[in-house]
Amino acid sequence: MEDPLHREILEEHAGAPLFQGKLENFSHRGNWLSDRTGNACQIDLLVQESIVVEIRFSGQGSALSQACASLMCSQLNGMDVLESSHLCRDILQYVELGKEFTPPGDLIVYQTIIRFPDRHDCSLLAWRALRNGLDR
């Protein structure tokens, strides 16, 4: 059963995604192409003094992938880059491995998403791109 609040949050971000686009000046860039769906995502970050001062996403994918990218960027904007990296790891392990974790803020929607394995790939598209960008 879906949580109505989670659905509302996802629909809001799917209908009007935040942080969409590309940065001309960035310090980190990550890309991910899903072998499963063919969907792609690019994450651009500008990190200054260890803080994510700007973040944008672009790419193609389902409404869920766009909503999750918007949610991710909303959470990470202004966050310490090390905390961002840890949150990325935690979300990926929570969804992929079932590791116990309570997602912060509106990322709580992952408590519903986790129950639908066929949607995991879409929901993690931006997180996987972020991981690639932070690892460089």
Side-chain angles (χ1 to χ4, degrees):
M1 167 138 337
E2 281 187 58
D3 183 307
L5 176 60
H6 296 179
R7 182 176 193 81
E8 181 180 324
I9 292 167
L10 287 168
E11 286 176 352
E12 179 181 316
H13 281 269
L18 305 172
F19 301 97
Q20 207 167 23
K22 295 181 179 185
L23 293 177
E24 285 187 33
N25 298 312
F26 57 88
S27 57
H28 298 73
R29 173 173 275 171
N31 292 286
W32 183 259
L33 174 64
S34 170
D35 290 335
R36 184 170 172 244
T37 64
N39 292 336
C41 184
Q42 178 174 295
I43 301 295
D44 293 340
L45 298 104
L46 178 59
V47 176
Q48 295 176 340
E49 298 180 19
S50 299
I51 302 296
V52 177
V53 296
E54 287 190 68
I55 186 168
R56 296 289 182 276
F57 77 92
S58 58
Q60 64 177 36
S62 67
L64 178 62
S65 71
Q66 300 295 297
C68 288
S70 175
L71 283 161
M72 180 193 80
C73 291
S74 296
Q75 186 70 37
L76 299 180
N77 193 46
M79 185 181 270
D80 177 88
V81 73
L82 184 59
E83 291 176 36
S84 299
S85 181
H86 290 164
L87 179 58
C88 181
R89 177 203 61 213
D90 292 343
I91 289 287
L92 289 167
Q93 289 180 351
Y94 177 64
V95 176
E96 294 174 334
L97 305 174
K99 184 176 178 186
E100 192 156 324
F101 173 68
T102 301
D106 284 348
L107 296 178
I108 198 82
V109 300
Y110 279 92
Q111 289 181 336
T112 293
I113 292 169
I114 198 169
R115 297 192 313 250
F116 299 94
D118 58 323
R119 303 304 289 162
H120 289 181
D121 192 67
C122 292
S123 73
L124 296 177
L125 193 67
W127 292 101
R128 290 172 174 152
L130 175 69
R131 178 183 57 200
N132 286 343
L134 292 176
D135 285 348
R136 294 181 183 170

